[in-house]
Amino acid sequence: MLGTGMLILLGGGVVANVLLAKSKGIDGGWLLINFGWGLAVFSGVFVAFSSGGHINPAVTAGIWASGAEEFGPGIEVSAGNFVAYVGAQLVGAFLGAVVVYLAYKKHFDETPDSGAKLAIFSTGPAIRSYGWNTVTEVIGTFVLVFVVLSFGNWPGDLGPLAAALLVTGIGASLGGPTGYAINPARDLGPRIAHALLPIKGKGGSDWSYSWVPIVGPLIGGVAGGLLAGAIY
């Protein structure tokens, strides 16, 4: 919960910094967002390291699909523990999004663009095509999970830094079509926060798209886990 909360606080925070009116980081660009999310992963994985460091239901599902015996040190792979992880990840993501809102409250008030406000909380497609948007999320999350599960085969340990660099690379390479959710909790928890928070002029929460960053990452995560389990 704390790790995913830190992920969303810093990840949503960099998007707010780039998009919201009168922010000192406004118009910082796509690469600033990519690096900000990478460092958000770096921080979140460190915070959650004692429970395995996975702050993403797609990664948790991929670990299960890989045939691993533990989600984290002393935490066996089971349906009950999977539900506990996902529940904690969702709660953490929701709370992280609320804190982003508190940090940027005055800038939310000064920003007229409801789409920019929603983009801080959840992803959306550059070209709306639900099937192809799902394919993009499957591919991005497959890369995430497959490469994360391959880390253990390297004779050394970069720890959370490796995951941070990987997510930065995924954003820079594959993030353009959908904003690279690659994490169901990262999208759903903050989207719920957007719907509930009293954000001035926020508009709708785009629930018609909300299934894409859930279904796509879960498919990609399981596929990445299955392949990693077969190879490694």
Side-chain angles (χ1 to χ4, degrees):
M1 183 185 75
L2 292 173
T4 312
M6 187 62 65
L7 168 73
I8 301 304
L9 172 57
L10 298 183
V14 72
V15 181
N17 194 21
V18 169
L19 296 184
L20 293 181
K22 300 183 180 180
S23 167
K24 292 182 181 292
I26 195 166
D27 295 328
W30 184 244
L31 286 179
L32 176 58
I33 290 174
N34 296 158
F35 279 110
W37 272 105
L39 293 172
V41 169
F42 179 75
S43 303
V45 170
F46 259 124
V47 170
F49 209 66
S50 63
S51 59
H54 38 112
I55 50 180
N56 179 343
V59 173
T60 309
I63 291 171
W64 193 355
S66 75
E69 295 181 354
E70 292 184 333
F71 282 131
I75 305 170
E76 67 173 345
V77 170
S78 68
N81 283 336
F82 176 79
V83 171
Y85 269 96
V86 173
Q89 290 157 350
L90 281 170
V91 171
F94 175 87
L95 294 175
V98 171
V99 179
V100 172
Y101 170 69
L102 296 176
Y104 281 90
K105 167 64 168 65
K106 301 302 290 184
H107 298 274
F108 276 103
D109 292 346
E110 294 286 337
T111 302
D113 185 354
S114 62
K117 295 174 184 178
L118 177 59
I120 292 157
F121 293 89
S122 59
T123 59
I127 300 174
R128 188 170 295 252
S129 175
Y130 294 118
W132 286 111
N133 299 152
T134 302
V135 168
T136 298
E137 288 292 335
V138 170
I139 293 170
T141 314
F142 171 85
V143 172
L144 172 67
V145 173
F146 179 68
V147 176
V148 162
L149 293 180
S150 75
F151 288 163
N153 298 285
W154 184 256
D157 185 12
L158 292 175
L161 178 59
L165 293 173
L166 173 60
V167 170
T168 301
I170 291 171
S173 299
L174 298 171
T178 62
Y180 70 116
I182 59 173
N183 181 338
R186 170 265 175 277
D187 196 274
L188 180 58
R191 196 182 296 268
I192 294 170
H194 176 272
L196 297 178
L197 286 168
I199 304 167
K200 181 180 177 182
K202 66 180 178 180
S205 300
D206 195 13
W207 289 106
S208 64
Y209 181 78
S210 64
W211 64 271
V212 172
I214 297 173
V215 173
L218 288 174
I219 294 173
V222 169
L226 288 171
L227 184 59
I231 293 176
Y232 304 124

